[in-house]
Amino acid sequence: MTIISNASEMYPAPGATSSKAGNSMTDMGADDFLTLMVAQLQHQDPTKPMDNTEFVAQLAQFSTSTGVQELNESFGGLSAALSSSQMLQATDLVGRQITTESNVGFLETATDADGEPVAALDATVSLGGNRGGMLYVQDMTGQLIFSTALPADATGDFPVRWSGLDAEGNMMPPGSYRISAETSMGGAVSAVPVYAHNRVQSVSIDPATGTALLNLVDGSKLSFAEIRNIF
């Protein structure tokens, strides 16, 4: 009687010339593996039983393969849940203002109840422990459009709003403008950080990463990680 010593001799892979050419453990499902393992144990040579080390190695290989598959499935579900949650959070930001580390904001214009043009560009000046200072508005070519003194008692994170008027009182067109500020520190005039506000207009999905992107009114896009503050 011929003794079949291992499962690969019982179930050779199509076209295989030796037991080494069989399908890998990662190609089998749980039922396939258990069927082969039971058959291997039933048909092994009683005088030459399977080496314990080899048996444990096969079990470990199957356990690792199954664990990785289950882990991948779990991460896939977690990723989908996080993406869904992030999209809900992003949708809630539509219409609200955010700040990043940039001092470039977008001047939005509209008309009031009387049909008069109105505009606004908000920003936050980070004065720290200093008080007062000067605020400057430049266009994207660097030309100074407007400047004004900050209140003498202004300190900390101080909110400011530019109404869109230049130094002569003319309404400037909507678009991007750079906001900067300076204050006196120990008798020396120094620049301080300014964080321009931008309104979230809509949300979209980054096709490369599947994460939510915030589409700002100035046409730029940013991720949640780039947000400094929400208003």
Side-chain angles (χ1 to χ4, degrees), residues 82-219:
L82 290 176
S83 295
S84 176
S85 175
Q86 192 178 69
M87 278 301 297
L88 289 175
Q89 292 176 352
T91 302
D92 187 54
L93 294 181
V94 173
R96 301 179 66 179
Q97 290 189 335
I98 57 92
T99 61
T100 64
E101 297 299 320
S102 174
N103 67 334
V104 176
F106 191 83
L107 177 67
E108 295 188 71
T109 59
T111 54
D112 60 17
D114 299 324
E116 296 296 325
V118 292
L121 193 165
D122 294 317
T124 299
V125 180
S126 185
L127 292 167
N130 300 284
R131 293 183 178 275
M134 290 292 297
L135 182 74
Y136 304 98
V137 179
Q138 296 170 286
D139 62 20
M140 297 311 292
T141 69
Q143 180 180 355
L144 182 63
I145 302 298
F146 177 80
S147 64
T148 186
L150 295 171
D153 60 349
T155 189
D157 286 343
F158 186 75
V160 295
R161 169 171 289 183
W162 176 48
S163 62
L165 301 178
D166 65 10
E168 284 73 39
N170 301 310
M171 177 64 70
M172 298 300 295
S176 296
Y177 294 87
R178 193 179 304 277
I179 312 296
S180 58
E182 61 183 21
T183 187
S184 178
M185 299 181 179
V189 176
S190 302
V192 292
V194 177
Y195 306 102
H197 299 193
N198 279 284
R199 185 169 57 84
V200 178
Q201 192 170 44
S202 62
V203 297
S204 59
I205 296 292
D206 185 345
T209 63
T211 57
L213 290 176
L214 303 177
N215 305 317
L216 305 183
V217 69
D218 65 358

